[in-house]
Amino acid sequence: ELSQDQQTLLTYVLDAYNKHRIPSDISKKLLQEQYSREENFLLLTEMATSHVQVLVEFTKNIPAGFQTLDHEDQIALLKGSAVEAMFLRSAQSFTKKLPHGHTEMLEERIRKSGISEEFIVPMFNFYKSIRELQMMQEEHALLTAITILSPDRPYIRDQQAVEQLQEAMLEVLRKVCKLKHPQEPQHFARLLGRLTELRTLHHHHAEMLESWRMSDHKFNPLLCEIWDVQ
Amino acid sequence: EEPSLLKKLLLAPPNS
């Protein structure tokens, strides 16, 4: 069973995850904007920017002590996890079948935005693998917090403090998996396997940015900072 | 060095 503290932690993380999401006016644009490659690229960068803002707000609300870390480490954790948290959140959009055909529109726009096929394939394989896990909202929220609190990101100074925060989240996730998927003892291990997949996507993403830069696509200052693009 | 936008977002009061 979850202890009282763990139940409180889970409630906080779930509330923070549900409260902070892409504003509907941006996702509505998926249906309205033109269909040109340029328009798709701009729309995707607008969604990515919103993902970063949502990520920061979610992270500030993680109760287990993210705010106790020093600011440099908080920034290093956000920079190190932003791409992975974005893919995880996007995967959920493809799982939940957004209303009014948003999902199909989003897929179309991603496929027609200048991203080369070699990155499209692993991206949609990842979305499919997340869909197959039929994750509950609690699992998405915890897995996102676990992704953010990865002690092995570049430039983390107090790795031990981050590791303790991540351990607490992993223990709650392990119990939630046992409670919610009693018939699937492997479910927790499968979720952790997705974290490994996210690292690979993170690597692909850096190469994607390079190819976009070559075709002279510009990113706004927040994306340049979070993605380390000059 | 450019002021960090990320730091600004982090230091802003929650849910701003």
Side-chain angles (χ1 to χ4, degrees), chain A residues 148-183:
Chain A
I148 296 162
L149 295 168
S150 300
D152 60 339
R153 301 294 185 197
Y155 315 117
I156 298 290
R157 286 190 287 214
D158 189 351
Q159 285 199 334
Q160 201 185 354
V162 178
E163 194 150 7
Q164 278 164 5
L165 298 181
Q166 190 186 50
E167 287 295 325
M169 292 288 174
L170 281 164
E171 184 52 15
V172 174
L173 181 60
R174 190 183 63 76
K175 288 189 176 180
V176 165
C177 289
K178 275 180 84 171
L179 290 167
K180 307 275 185 180
H181 303 266
Q183 309 308 325

Side-chain angles (χ1 to χ4, degrees), chain A residues 59-77:
Chain A
T59 313
K60 279 154 73 171
N61 283 275
I62 294 179
F66 178 82
Q67 301 274 40
T68 59
L69 299 172
D70 80 37
H71 288 141
E72 295 320 307
D73 277 357
Q74 289 183 22
I75 287 180
L77 286 176

Side-chain angles (χ1 to χ4, degrees), chain A residues 20 57 60-61 71-72 74 79 221-222 225-226, chain B residues 4-7 9-16:
Chain A
H20 302 293
E57 286 311 309
K60 279 154 73 171
N61 283 275
H71 288 141
E72 295 320 307
Q74 289 183 22
K79 286 179 79 164
L222 180 60
E225 181 183 347
I226 198 103
Chain B
S4 160
L5 291 169
L6 211 41
K7 193 160 200 169
L9 284 174
L10 260 178
L11 298 180
N15 315 329
S16 56

